Amino acid sequence: MPRLLVFQHVAAEPLGTLDRLIRRRGHRIRFANFERQPDFEPNVDRYRGLVVLGGPMNVEDQARRPHLKTELRAIERMLEQGKPVLGICLGAQLLAHVLGAPVRRHHEPEIGWYPLRTTDAGRSDPVLAPLGETSPVFQWHRYSFEVPHDATHLARTEGCEHQAFRYGDNAYGFQFHLEMDEALIERWLRNPAYREELAELGGLDPSRSDVDTIRHHTRAHIAGMQARADAVFNQFLDLVGRPQRRITLPSREWV
C-alpha cells in the first residue's frame, strides 16, 4: 500500500477533497503537521509521493519558522528521487523556491473566485488538462512565484501570470486551491485570522473579495470546480508508484 507524505502548516488548511481521493485509491497518508510538531524531521525515503499544503507563512519566514528549511530539503530529496510532488499555494511557492525561482509579495492579492486560463501546454498537460481552457478557481494568496527555469508554464489569471507549473514529469505547483469544498471555504470565512486578513486588505475588489460575494460565487462555482479538481487530482495520483527518472538539482543552502 503506497504511503504519501503530506506537509500541513495550519489546521485551517487541510487536504480537503484530496483526502478522500487519496484514501479511495488505497494510499496511506502520513501527515507532518508543522503547527503541532515544528521540529519534525520526516524521512522522505519511506514515501512514494509528497503533497505540500498552503499556510499563512511565506518562504521568506525561514528564520522564524525553521521547519520551512526542513520542508525545502524534503522537497529537494523527493525531486531527486523522481517521486511525485504537488505543491498548493504556499506549497507551490516552496517548490518554486527549491527550483531556484523567486517568490515575492504579489502586487495585488487574489482572494475569492477568479477565472483561470490554461496555456497551450496546460490544455494538453496530463494532469491539468481537465480544467479546460478557462475555469473558475478559488484563490487566497498575497505572494506568488515565478515559473522556475526548465519548468513548463501551465496557467494564469488576468492579474497573476504564474498560476501553475510542471517540473519534469511529476512535480506540480498550483497557486490556486482546487481542494476546497463549500464547508472549507465557509470555515475560512468564519476564521478570525482570515477575517482579519480580509479587513487588512480593505482595498480588494468587492466584486470578488467581499464575504457575501465569495459565498455567492462559491454556490455558483463549487460543484463545477470539484468535478474538475477530482479529475486533476486523480491524474496526479496516477503518477504515484510509476517509475520516474531521478534528477540532480543544483546544490543550494536554504536561506
Side-chain angles (χ1 to χ4, degrees), residues 15 53 95 143 152 197 221 241:
L15 273 171
L53 299 173
L95 175 60
Y143 281 69
T152 301
E197 182 177 19
H221 298 312

Side-chain angles (χ1 to χ4, degrees), residues 112-116 131 135-139 157 163 176-178 225:
W113 289 87
Y114 291 76
L116 184 79
L131 290 185
S135 179
V137 297
F138 188 74
Q139 304 266 13
T157 59
Q163 284 282 345
F176 43 91
H177 289 276
L178 289 182
M225 188 186 78

Side-chain angles (χ1 to χ4, degrees), residues 42-53:
N43 178 5
V44 300
D45 298 350
R46 302 169 59 189
Y47 301 94
R48 304 291 289 276
L50 173 65
V51 178
V52 187
L53 299 173

Side-chain angles (χ1 to χ4, degrees), residues 7 9 34 38 40-42 57-77 94 97-98 252-255:
F7 289 166
H9 302 100
F34 291 104
F40 180 69
E41 292 281 348
M57 61 288 297
N58 301 296
V59 169
E60 64 190 20
D61 293 336
Q62 294 170 48
R64 294 189 299 111
R65 298 179 181 272
H67 65 81
L68 293 173
K69 290 187 178 182
T70 300
E71 295 182 59
L72 293 167
R73 289 191 293 267
I75 292 169
E76 181 181 50
R77 177 73 173 162
L94 291 170
H97 187 62
V98 167
R252 293 189 180 94
E253 183 66 28
W254 302 118
V255 293

